[in-house]
Amino acid sequence: MHARKFDPDLEKLRQEVLGPPDLQTTFSNECQKGSQIHAAYLFEDEGRVLLQNLCLFLSATASGKSYGDWQKFAANLGLISEQIKCIEYDFKGLEDPTYYVLLGFVHSPGATLDKVLLALQKINRLDIINRTADYFNDFFQDITKNRSSDLKNGIYMPDFLPRAPLVLYPITKHNETTKIITKHFCESDNRQNNNSENGKNKYGSIIMLTFAEDGANTAQNILRICRSNDPRIGVIILQEQEKHVLGKTEEFIEDCMHQVNYIVPILTEKYLNNINTNTYNTANNTNLDSKYIRYIFSLMRYEYNKQGCKNKKVRCIVPNDEVQKVVPLIKHPILEAWFRESDIDLVIKNIILQKF
């Protein structure tokens, strides 16, 4: 046998060439980081480039024998077949399919970024994780550096989720939230009234209060009057539901709004400044009712538009000493059904009879 001859220049080139990427290590590292970040940030400024590349690589690839496409990606993120068909048939020309898949996913409970990566792994698309690794690292650094105030229970969570077409929202049941609300009412009434029989209370109606920090005293006054009224009026405020709000914020708030008879904003100067300006800072709000004003208001507007611009559920209260300042700041018709705080007895009577 002849001895094998080696070309020194060729061997030098072989040594300089990098080996194949360690995709499993990249995947594991990104999953660990992604578990700390809500996927809704993909639709913020920090996530724009990462979102663009995820959409580009997924939507541009047809399904193959050994790897999946955007439809399999959607199924692994929990979208049902009807939602996938809606994206395929109804949303053409607006955005690419992967964009709508992710837009629907961010409204799911616990929609952290690691679940996006796991879905890519399940359809054998580690190539996308590899090709977007640099964008992902830049995204992670931007969020941890610039969004420190959004850190809640170890997860970076934005105050608001991007609005999605109704058909893309998760199909949820309200039973769990109903039990939470009922339990809360009984516990609250038992604290207020020790004479209630076995914690069983009948309610003439149920309302949800929404207010800024300068409306807190008015909120407590309304709370006291409603819970001492006969028949009682059940009242939901977010701060009393902290453990549920922090666990599934958007889902809990939306479930509450579907179940209550009326939503009662307390119109004050800070409340209206919050919803009228895009620069109002809620980062320092420790009270949940103040923190989620704008999100609740966006849901009220959505419901108003869905009902053909008919205001069926929103009835506002204005503190007596705020009327002169507040009324000129009202810019949306859904807030024009307002009453003075001194008229609270009349408001309660109409709420119970549901004659508004």
Side-chain angles (χ1 to χ4, degrees):
M1 294 180 64
H2 296 286
R4 185 178 178 184
K5 293 182 179 180
F6 292 94
D7 185 333
D9 293 334
L10 184 57
E11 289 303 314
K12 183 179 178 182
L13 285 174
R14 283 178 177 150
Q15 292 174 7
E16 291 176 353
V17 173
L18 296 175
D22 187 351
L23 297 183
Q24 193 57 48
T25 299
T26 301
F27 169 74
S28 299
N29 291 338
E30 291 190 8
C31 273
Q32 184 177 2
K33 295 176 180 178
S35 64
Q36 305 171 46
I37 298 178
H38 197 280
Y41 285 114
L42 290 171
F43 297 88
E44 303 281 344
D45 290 339
E46 294 91 341
R48 187 176 301 276
V49 176
L50 178 57
L51 174 63
Q52 180 185 24
N53 281 275
L54 287 172
C55 293
L56 179 65
F57 297 140
L58 256 174
S59 294
T61 308
S63 186
K65 293 182 179 179
S66 59
Y67 54 84
D69 60 358
W70 71 266
Q71 293 177 321
K72 291 184 179 179
F73 177 67
N76 278 281
L77 284 179
L79 273 69
I80 62 176
S81 60
E82 288 80 5
Q83 291 172 319
I84 295 173
K85 289 177 181 177
C86 282
I87 294 173
E88 182 178 7
Y89 300 137
D90 296 338
F91 299 151
K92 288 183 177 179
L94 302 176
E95 288 287 354
D96 71 281
T98 304
Y99 178 94
Y100 284 109
V101 170
L102 291 167
L103 187 60
F105 167 70
V106 299
H107 292 273
S108 303
T112 47
L113 203 57
D114 59 317
K115 293 183 175 65
V116 175
L117 302 174
L118 286 168
L120 289 172
Q121 182 199 42
K122 289 178 180 178
I123 64 172
N124 295 318
R125 296 307 303 271
L126 290 180
D127 62 299
I128 294 178
I129 295 175
N130 181 54
R131 296 172 74 180
T132 59
D134 290 339
Y135 303 121
F136 179 89
N137 288 329
D138 291 342
F139 167 76
F140 180 79
Q141 290 177 10
D142 287 344
I143 295 298
T144 54
K145 179 181 178 181
N146 302 325
R147 301 283 191 146
S148 57
S149 61
D150 289 352
L151 187 62
K152 308 176 184 78
N153 296 330
I155 297 177
Y156 291 91
M157 176 76 185
D159 289 335
F160 309 104
L161 297 184
R163 173 61 60 186
L166 182 62
V167 295
L168 294 184
Y169 279 81
I171 308 300
T172 58
K173 297 180 180 179
H174 300 294
N175 294 345
E176 181 179 351
T177 306
T178 303
K179 292 177 182 177
I180 292 170
I181 293 175
T182 303
K183 181 175 182 290
H184 160 68
F185 285 164
C186 291
E187 289 174 350
S188 299
D189 286 337
N190 284 331
R191 287 195 296 268
Q192 295 289 327
N193 183 2
N194 292 326
N195 294 325
S196 60
E197 293 183 11
N198 299 322
K200 295 180 180 178
N201 298 280
K202 294 182 179 180
Y203 295 92
S205 194
I206 302 174
I207 67 172
M208 180 179 185
L209 294 180
T210 172
F211 53 92
E213 55 266 34
D214 57 343
N217 289 336
T218 299
Q220 288 300 317
N221 182 44
I222 294 173
L223 193 70
R224 177 183 56 79
I225 294 173
C226 288
R227 288 178 176 170
S228 61
N229 193 76
D230 186 16
R232 288 182 176 81
I233 294 179
V235 182
I236 285 290
I237 61 174
L238 297 183
Q239 192 60 40
E240 292 184 342
Q241 299 293 328
E242 182 176 7
K243 65 179 181 179
H244 303 298
V245 174
L246 295 179
K248 298 179 179 179
T249 305
E250 289 76 19
E251 182 181 357
F252 182 81
I253 291 174
E254 290 188 37
D255 276 357
C256 287
M257 293 185 67
H258 283 302
Q259 292 178 64
V260 299
N261 300 105
Y262 292 101
I263 303 158
V264 181
I266 298 174
L267 303 186
T268 57
E269 192 170 9
K270 286 187 177 181
Y271 178 94
L272 291 167
N273 285 338
N274 190 321
I275 63 173
N276 289 339
T277 63
N278 293 324
T279 57
Y280 194 86
N281 183 16
T282 61
N284 296 323
N285 285 340
T286 57
N287 185 280
L288 295 177
D289 296 279
S290 300
K291 194 172 187 67
Y292 291 105
I293 283 174
R294 194 174 298 177
Y295 181 65
I296 294 174
F297 181 66
S298 69
L299 295 177
M300 292 192 299
R301 288 189 305 173
Y302 176 75
E303 184 68 21
Y304 176 75
N305 292 331
K306 191 174 73 171
Q307 295 295 333
C309 296
K310 296 179 181 178
N311 182 2
K312 297 183 178 182
K313 294 187 71 169
V314 179
R315 300 295 181 265
C316 306
I317 296 292
V318 181
N320 293 341
D321 56 355
E322 295 264 345
V323 172
Q324 296 297 324
K325 293 185 293 183
V326 161
V327 173
L329 297 176
I330 297 176
K331 296 182 178 181
H332 196 281
I334 202 171
L335 302 178
E336 291 179 354
W338 62 270
F339 300 84
R340 294 173 182 266
E341 185 178 358
S342 56
D343 295 327
I344 189 63
D345 290 336
L346 174 62
V347 174
I348 287 176
K349 180 179 177 181
N350 285 318
I351 283 176
I352 292 174
L353 298 176
Q354 297 188 30
K355 286 188 175 181
F356 278 121

